[in-house]
Amino acid sequence: MSFNVVTTGLKFPEGPVALPNGDVLVVELHRGTLTRVSPDGTNTVVAELGGGPNGAAIGPDGRAYVANCGGMHAFEVNGYVFAGGTPEDYTGGSIQAVDLETGEVETLYTECDGVQLRGPNDIVFDAHGGFYFTDHGKSNGLTSDRGRVYYGAIDGSAIQLVAADMNNPNGIGLSPDGTRLYVSETYSARVWWWEVVGPGEISGGRDLAGSGGGNFLYGSPDFRYFDSLGVEADGNICVASLSTPGICVISPNGELVEVVDIDADGDPGITNICWGGPNMRTAYVTASSTGKVLRFDWPRAGLVLNHQSAMV
């Protein structure tokens, strides 16, 4: 599938959010910023966040809510930039809210029930105005945290644990009717889903699809680490994949719809996807290891996110 490069020179972009005017918000993990990318490729810093901003979503109040992992090491392999581990200046994880007009940053959460947020990664809002987010955890090269999923209120008044003991949860999304919560795990390369029974209440926990044992989903030998995900209007789950770079499109039944292989100068770090445009048929993909945002004419419409009308 062909694409255009919208912009270059970003420092590990992630968490794309398409705005109505054609701009795209991204976080820059290794720069510690929320950045606005214009259609002509101009990049403007909206807010200095510090740490390691890793995912973003627009809330019902029009602010951008950021899952901040507290920072990762930036390291280069064969000319490509990666992120991982726990740096010496690790600040702890947090959830932040950014006023897009003023750039004012508010830190909402740094812990839950006395337990520090370790590595918040990605975030999604439900129709009730609350948000789910993954905590990927941190690693020091010898040990690695078990990951968690939380649910929070936008005013900083309440946060609760909804899932635990996960293997580096990364991307997170809701089905179009809001009855399913999807989470991708990076190193196990699995997508899980739960039934949503109320705001911040989930049950079950079932394996939808994955890339384990060298047998990716349906017979392909290409192993793919899973990064963040987006959901199409028809309910398909689009998971960005690392190592073998692309987007894996999976039906709600766990069937493979298609694999979109992406060669952006060989970038192995395809990390996230979102949609915008008049018909939600324009997909924006972050190619993080080369610092690019890519634009695709997508064959299916992306899901109009909860509170998307609040975007400015």
Side-chain angles (χ1 to χ4, degrees), residues 147-256:
R148 297 182 165 200
V149 179
Y150 294 94
Y151 183 80
I154 67 169
D155 60 1
S157 64
I159 183 175
Q160 65 192 69
L161 177 69
V162 298
D165 197 29
M166 298 193 69
N167 189 357
N168 300 111
N170 194 315
I172 192 165
L174 288 163
S175 61
D177 62 4
T179 62
R180 282 188 174 194
L181 180 72
Y182 296 108
V183 173
S184 57
E185 289 182 332
T186 298
Y187 300 115
S188 68
R190 312 300 292 179
V191 177
W192 297 88
W193 72 274
W194 292 259
E195 181 184 0
V196 178
V197 296
E201 299 179 23
I202 60 175
S203 68
R206 300 179 180 91
D207 181 3
L208 182 71
S211 175
N215 182 19
F216 171 63
L217 291 172
Y218 320 99
S220 167
D222 296 331
F223 182 82
R224 298 168 184 262
Y225 292 114
F226 283 169
D227 207 283
S228 293
L229 63 83
V231 177
E232 295 179 345
D234 58 9
N236 292 332
I237 305 96
C238 298
V239 189
S241 67
L242 309 172
S243 183
T244 304
I247 303 292
C248 304
V249 184
I250 304 165
S251 79
N253 296 323
E255 299 171 348
L256 182 65

Side-chain angles (χ1 to χ4, degrees), residues 11-12 68 74 77 101 107 153 168 184 199 216 231 254 282 286-287 291 307:
K11 297 185 181 300
F12 212 86
N68 193 314
V77 178
E101 294 183 352
T107 298
N168 300 111
S184 57
F216 171 63
V231 177
T282 301
T286 45
H307 320 298

Side-chain angles (χ1 to χ4, degrees), residues 70-83:
M72 295 186 192
H73 288 295
F75 58 96
E76 187 173 312
V77 178
N78 296 326
Y80 299 111
V81 177
F82 296 88

Side-chain angles (χ1 to χ4, degrees), residues 22-178:
D23 292 350
V24 180
L25 293 176
V26 295
V27 292
E28 294 186 71
L29 195 154
H30 290 324
R31 192 181 184 189
T33 62
L34 179 68
T35 301
R36 184 186 291 262
V37 178
S38 299
D40 65 1
T42 302
N43 303 324
T44 305
V45 172
V46 176
E48 300 281 351
L49 300 169
N54 212 162
I58 301 296
D61 57 359
R63 293 193 294 178
Y65 287 74
V66 176
N68 193 314
C69 73
M72 295 186 192
H73 288 295
F75 58 96
E76 187 173 312
V77 178
N78 296 326
Y80 299 111
V81 177
F82 296 88
T86 308
E88 293 182 359
D89 61 351
Y90 169 61
T91 61
S94 65
I95 298 297
Q96 301 164 302
V98 179
D99 186 311
L100 295 181
E101 294 183 352
T102 67
E104 180 182 358
V105 180
E106 178 184 5
T107 298
L108 297 178
Y109 302 106
T110 59
E111 62 177 43
C112 176
D113 296 330
V115 177
Q116 180 191 52
L117 301 181
R118 297 285 290 159
N121 188 287
D122 207 358
I123 184 170
V124 65
F125 275 87
D126 65 13
H128 303 280
F131 57 88
Y132 296 89
F133 69 94
T134 53
D135 191 324
H136 187 79
K138 303 297 283 187
S139 170
N140 61 10
L142 296 174
T143 62
S144 180
D145 297 329
R146 299 298 290 172
R148 297 182 165 200
V149 179
Y150 294 94
Y151 183 80
I154 67 169
D155 60 1
S157 64
I159 183 175
Q160 65 192 69
L161 177 69
V162 298
D165 197 29
M166 298 193 69
N167 189 357
N168 300 111
N170 194 315
I172 192 165
L174 288 163
S175 61
D177 62 4

